[in-house]
Amino acid sequence: MLEVRSVAVTLDGNEVLRDVTLSVSNGESVAVLGPSGSGKSTLLRAIAGLVPIESGSIMWDGREVTNVPTHLREFGLMFQGYALFPHLDVAGNVGFGLRMMNLPPSEIEGRVTEALDLVGLAGFRSRTIADLSGGERQRVALARTLAPEPRLLMLDEPLGALDRALRERLMVETREILDERGVTALIVTHDREEAEALSDRLALMRAGTIVQSGTLADLIAHPADAWVSEFLG
Ligand code: ADP
Ligand code: MG
């Protein structure tokens, strides 16, 4: 279980996160929903250990991970815009984290195959990234993040770059993959539909802090303030 307690992050003198408190239970999927610039990407980067926190703590299963280096946290982050490696083919991208873990080649091979099967790209191993459609890139990025079997999966605007029809299809597919794997997931997005489709519970973020969390029905029925009802309305 992930617990973020009163986390603050300041970047270049700019207080980007303040008093962020949030938890994700094992097997649960939580979406952080908030407008652009509210600090969502920074929150994921802080949890991953890619930006330092100024105060507060990040815990996994009751143990502090605040000072654990990124690669030892066993958290997977799919970046906004995916950040695929253009010089590697599909299998090279999906196997990247596995090579970083120094797994034997035969195991990497097996796990790449499994991850590509999971996202419906079994025949795509040797394709170059430049030749993929937007939806295929999204699925390669998801396979790359899932392949090391992270104990926490974090997705930053996972469908944000796609057109409407494709987004709707991939919302359903991505949710099925999360459910099939029973993954613990933290998803951030500015899109309410995407947040709702991919999560069990929402946490609303505004100006660097979480203002309210609950199911969409809870939030609509009992908004904490006028901003919440307007943002969801
Ligand atoms: P979101 O993902 O919700 O759009 P971000 O986490 O990317 O928000 O950014 C939140 C705020 O932090 C923005 O105002 C952004 O300009 C600021 N910010 C992000 N990175 C830095 C940085 N390296 N230095 C200073 N300010 C930053
Ligand atoms: Mg962002």
Side-chain angles (χ1 to χ4, degrees):
M1 158 176 208
L2 175 74
E3 286 170 275
V4 175
R5 297 187 185 160
S6 296
V7 161
V9 169
T10 296
L11 299 172
D12 289 339
N14 184 3
E15 188 185 53
V16 178
L17 298 180
R18 61 186 166 87
D19 199 20
V20 172
T21 295
L22 174 78
S23 66
V24 185
S25 298
N26 292 342
E28 189 186 28
S29 176
V30 172
V32 172
L33 172 64
S36 175
S38 57
K40 305 181 299 297
S41 294
T42 304
L43 174 60
L44 293 193
R45 296 172 70 87
I47 294 169
L50 298 170
V51 301
I53 66 173
E54 192 173 284
S55 58
S57 58
I58 297 167
M59 321 274 292
W60 181 266
D61 284 348
R63 291 212 181 109
E64 179 98 38
V65 298
T66 314
N67 296 312
V68 173
T70 297
H71 68 285
L72 297 177
R73 291 192 189 189
E74 296 175 55
F75 297 167
L77 171 56
M78 185 173 115
F79 290 95
Q80 188 166 3
Y82 318 137
L84 293 172
F85 305 116
H87 60 290
L88 297 178
D89 64 9
V90 166
N93 269 275
V94 175
F96 184 80
L98 305 173
R99 288 194 300 279
M100 293 292 104
M101 291 160 74
N102 287 317
L103 295 179
S106 60
E107 183 166 356
I108 293 176
E109 184 71 15
R111 290 229 223 160
V112 167
T113 301
E114 192 194 343
L116 286 173
D117 278 350
L118 186 69
V119 300
L121 292 179
F124 282 66
R125 296 187 68 98
S126 310
R127 292 277 205 102
T128 59
I129 300 305
D131 295 336
L132 301 177
S133 70
E136 288 160 356
R137 284 177 199 198
Q138 192 269 357
R139 286 186 270 183
V140 171
L142 186 60
R144 182 178 66 179
T145 313
L146 287 167
E149 298 178 2
R151 52 192 186 173
L152 174 69
L153 177 72
M154 296 189 282
L155 306 177
D156 192 347
E157 307 275 1
L159 305 171
L162 307 171
D163 66 50
R164 184 161 193 88
L166 188 56
R167 277 185 44 223
E168 283 178 2
R169 183 153 63 83
L170 283 179
M171 270 179 211
V172 175
E173 278 183 24
T174 304
R175 181 66 200 237
E176 283 170 358
I177 290 168
L178 300 185
D179 289 347
E180 192 178 324
R181 285 287 180 108
V183 294
T184 305
L186 182 61
I187 292 146
V188 310
T189 174
H190 67 279
D191 184 89
R192 182 183 123 170
E193 263 183 71
E194 187 172 320
E196 204 190 342
L198 296 178
S199 72
D200 304 315
R201 184 160 63 83
L202 305 180
L204 297 185
M205 189 164 211
R206 178 185 55 188
T209 201
I210 302 292
V211 291
Q212 194 177 2
S213 75
T215 63
L216 182 62
D218 291 340
L219 299 177
I220 288 173
H222 307 286
D225 60 24
W227 181 85
V228 171
S229 48
E230 213 170 291
F231 184 67
L232 293 175

